[in-house]
Amino acid sequence: MGAFLVRRLLLTIPIVFIVSVVVFSLLHFLPGDPAVLILGQEATPQALAALRARLGLDQPLLVQYLRWLGNLLRGDLGRSLITNQPVLEVILSKMPPTLELAIGAFLVSVLISVPAGIVSATRRGRLPDYLATTFAFAGLSIPHFWLGIMLLLLFAVQLKWLPASGYVPLWENPTQNLKVMILPMIATGMRESAIVTRQLRSSLLEVLGQDYIRTALAKGLREQVVLVGHALKNAMIPVLTVSGLQIAGLLSGLVITEQVFSIPGFGRLLVDSIFNRDFTMVQGGVLVAALMVVTVNILVDILYAFLDPRIKLVTSEAV
Amino acid sequence: MSRLALILTLMVALVVTACAQPAPTSQAPAPAAPTTAPAPKQEPPKAAPTEAPKPAPTTDAAKAAPPAAAPAAADTIVIALESDPPRLDPHLSSAAVDRQVFQSLFDTLVDLDENLNIVPELAEKWTVSPDGLVYTFNLRKGVKFHDGTDFDAQAVKVNFDRMMDEKTASARRAEISSVDKVEVVDPQTVKISLKKPFSPFLSVLTDRAGMMLSPKALAADAANFQNKPVGTGPFKFVEKVKDDHVTVERFDEYWGGAAPTKRIIYRTFVDGNVRVVNMKSGQIDMSNLTPAKDIPSFQSDAKWKVSLKPSLGWQGIWLNVTKPPFDKKENRQALAAALDRAAITKVVFSDLSAVPGWSPFPPGTPAYDETKKMPARDLAKAKDLLSKAGNPTGFSFTFKIGQDAVAQQLGQIVQSMAGEAGIQVKLEQVEFGALLDQLGKKNFEAAQIGWSGRPDPDGNVTNHFITNGPNNYAGYSNADVDKWLEDARTAQDTAARKAIYKKIDDQLAEDQPFIFLWWPVNDKVYVSNLQGYVHVPDGMMRTQKLVKK
């Protein structure tokens, strides 16, 4: 286990390195000049050139990259090209709402998808199954954006139960925070639950068709015991894979959800920085996102071993 | 199981509301009190009861809105912005949205009134030397910066020096490139000398170049001034949370008297639909850039006031005259003749957020030519011009447009109108930063991008149409136009300038490096109990006198 962790952590270094190279090159191939966005459309070519030189943007790409990498190794992600604030500080300040939203949405998703998946697999072909699959189908097809606006229109404009926006950090005002966060959690969680419901249903159906389930039932075990003790645990592996991917996606920002519900999170920071050609901010942001994805993947791998002892973390094949 | 049922119920509810929503008959559900408060007489409502539990950031507005028959002025006014203001430093700002927040934080040397006249602000009066080269400003006494320091002539000099210093990388440097030097005559008098006469100078000072920043704050940390701006405005900076809000609070020592409202919160709502939902749920007191489709629902609702006023800007299509197909003047004229301006404003803007336009000088601005009429759509003329250009069956071109819904609609309507004349249009959506880049490199055939406009006519044409001008995306070059632009800049007499701008206007209509299609209308939508707002055509929300009863 310990050796596994060390090896996986070491493996993240090349992954993150490759990500940083790709992001760096992509950013610089992106049309759009930060100098023009800083100095405005009326700037003279001389002024633009001078600014590029001051920002180091006139250096060869490799030099720029190595300089950035050197600072990174010292734990310095640089300062924003636009606001001059330290990149790391800004990113960290945007993480709490995103983390909260990701965790909340995941909980909503589990609360919906686990019962829905089980019901639909065990009552296959009957009304509950149809309802659950219809729900999953709708959840996948309804655009995020539209669902968000509809929730706002219903709960904020018509019923006036909840505010349409006004995020405050959880530790400052928990009630207000939850009032603002509950709708985005539901909107995102519903979509995620649709995916998990489908996955759980199909993998559960597969497991329920296995010989050992028939044997267990033939031994006279109660259906619930077989379902929970035997089937669910084995059906969980692919579900876990899907959930892991989802959490990783949620953590790297939910641009649309954050925009609809006016939450100042990580996703909006990234998109905003791309539009402003705030290169240092985007590089730092993507790096942090990559680290989060890698971390979640490691956690998922560890959970595999708990669910299925046949998966050994120490063997090199397990990676 | 029961959870499933609950979710399904919710889904049904959603679909029902969705179907019910589009009806614009805004029957506001509960708000029993439309409060047409008969304007209380006590104009300066000194300090509202200071009982706010603590400076809690925002959003109890929703709770307060429906029942409170608010007798006194509200503590807080919430203003919606269309994007996050990137840089709160007037010298560095290059986004229009920054300017809205600056209205609270900063004062300008001179300001604009409703009719675009230049009026005193930090400068009480000024004189211009007969040759137009020296501007002498007499500064107002008793003006303080938010950090307690005095505003004086030395402060003006520090501000200009900073803008003119290349190292500042100031977006203002190009605007005040005519300035030669700034001299302090005495603490209340400052003399600005120009390299050559520049008639638009005062009007430039009504915008960011005329805003005065605290020299003390600049000396302390100029690079981070934008994160803690200090000005002389009616409100002082409290905090900014990126992508969320900027809070400013009343400056009690403001030279014009303390503002009646304690706090203003600027909140960012990037998406128009989201902004509208937040307005209707009572989160916002004032907003602009409301989507045209939603304006009628506010007009018919007694809880809201809608103010529409022509802006200073122009919109239309840039044509790259340096390469085919638009290097031929007839092709440019043919495309222009194929377009129906009235239909465009009707379809795309519901005749609300734009009016048909045909010149760089919109109505209400000094160089507007009231004798000119809208060029009518003329397909026969378009086809005739195509024959003259040697391509009687038409030609095709790629039209680069932005990514929003309005740009898409516009692209499609241009596509179908041009198609009827035999001109094939391929649409390409490009992100704004990339579009600017491609325009700068002349990497386009036609592109939709306009200009927000300036109060002086010079700011609406010179940089765009002078040879090698920084905004001359078309690559247009006409020696006559160049000379006229220069003449109009240096002429001191308003009537003479207007006559020159008419010649420029006529020549641009002939050459068509840009097809002027519509003049944007500036909208402001605000709660009907908000008082003290004056709609100046520059679109800025001046906050000093705003008060919500």
Side-chain angles (χ1 to χ4, degrees), chain A residues 32 37-39 41-42 50 54 82-84 94 111 153 164-166 176 190 262 268 272 275 277, chain B residues 3 11 21 59 87 94 166-167 169 224 226-227 242-243 267 269 278 283 431 434 437 463 471 473:
Chain A
L37 290 163
I38 291 172
L39 285 183
Q41 296 176 47
E42 295 166 79
R54 281 208 313 124
I82 304 295
T83 64
N84 199 44
K94 295 296 173 195
L111 284 176
L153 282 173
S165 62
Q176 168 75 9
M190 270 172 69
S262 314
R268 277 176 70 199
D272 216 37
F275 284 149
R277 302 292 186 270
Chain B
R3 195 170 304 280
M11 297 294 295
Q21 204 275 329
T59 65
R87 313 183 90 182
S94 56
E166 184 181 303
K167 290 201 204 72
N224 283 311
Q226 57 176 320
N227 300 317
K242 187 172 156 48
D243 294 325
R267 296 184 53 199
F269 299 94
N278 276 275
Q283 301 268 320
E431 182 264 322
D437 191 61
N463 282 336
N471 297 352
Y473 302 124

Side-chain angles (χ1 to χ4, degrees), chain B residues 472-517:
Chain B
N472 185 345
Y473 302 124
Y476 175 67
S477 176
N478 180 315
D480 288 336
V481 171
D482 287 355
K483 184 181 171 305
W484 293 330
L485 286 169
E486 203 55 51
D487 289 349
R489 236 178 201 199
T490 45
Q492 300 290 311
D493 176 57
T494 315
R497 290 186 74 201
K498 188 169 174 177
I500 304 175
Y501 284 122
K502 182 172 164 41
K503 287 197 280 186
I504 295 169
D505 195 0
D506 293 343
Q507 192 63 47
L508 289 177
E510 164 69 18
D511 291 342
Q512 294 287 354
F514 184 91
I515 307 177
F516 294 95
L517 288 179

Side-chain angles (χ1 to χ4, degrees), chain B residues 270-501:
Chain B
V270 180
D271 182 81
N273 294 318
V274 173
R275 206 152 56 230
V276 168
V277 166
N278 276 275
M279 289 161 83
K280 296 202 165 171
S281 76
Q283 301 268 320
I284 298 174
D285 298 315
M286 184 172 199
S287 174
N288 64 354
L289 296 168
T290 307
K293 67 178 170 55
D294 293 304
I295 289 181
S297 76
F298 288 104
Q299 283 173 324
S300 61
D301 187 340
K303 287 197 300 173
W304 294 91
K305 272 188 202 154
V306 177
S307 170
L308 300 172
K309 219 168 194 189
S311 74
L312 306 175
W314 41 258
Q315 287 283 347
I317 305 174
W318 280 105
L319 303 176
N320 186 347
V321 306
T322 63
K323 63 179 182 191
F326 292 118
D327 53 343
K328 286 193 183 128
K329 184 160 88 179
E330 290 80 8
N331 281 344
R332 305 198 291 269
Q333 291 170 334
L335 177 62
L339 301 180
D340 182 341
R341 290 168 170 83
I344 289 174
T345 47
K346 184 160 197 278
V347 172
V348 184
F349 303 101
S350 315
D351 278 335
L352 285 167
S353 47
V355 293
W358 48 87
S359 126
F361 310 116
T365 62
Y368 173 65
D369 182 353
E370 52 287 297
T371 62
K372 267 200 185 152
K373 294 277 167 289
M374 175 170 76
R377 185 185 195 212
D378 190 342
L379 277 180
K381 183 179 159 201
K383 287 179 178 155
D384 190 39
L385 284 161
L386 287 174
S387 307
K388 274 190 199 149
N391 40 17
T393 54
F395 60 93
S396 76
F397 72 94
T398 302
F399 183 23
K400 293 188 174 174
I401 54 175
Q403 293 176 306
D404 54 314
V406 165
Q408 275 180 48
Q409 285 179 28
L410 176 84
Q412 284 160 5
I413 198 168
V414 166
Q415 190 175 43
S416 76
M417 285 174 178
E420 287 174 39
I423 303 171
Q424 306 306 317
V425 182
K426 281 178 290 222
L427 296 176
E428 186 182 328
Q429 290 193 282
V430 187
E431 182 264 322
F432 184 72
L435 186 58
L436 275 188
D437 191 61
Q438 294 170 5
L439 285 166
K441 292 178 176 145
K442 309 262 181 291
N443 173 21
F444 74 104
E445 290 169 350
Q448 201 285 299
I449 193 167
W451 181 239
S452 59
R454 295 288 179 266
D456 190 278
D458 177 76
N460 269 19
V461 277
T462 306
N463 282 336
H464 299 87
F465 299 107
I466 202 163
T467 303
N468 294 327
N471 297 352
N472 185 345
Y473 302 124
Y476 175 67
S477 176
N478 180 315
D480 288 336
V481 171
D482 287 355
K483 184 181 171 305
W484 293 330
L485 286 169
E486 203 55 51
D487 289 349
R489 236 178 201 199
T490 45
Q492 300 290 311
D493 176 57
T494 315
R497 290 186 74 201
K498 188 169 174 177
I500 304 175
Y501 284 122

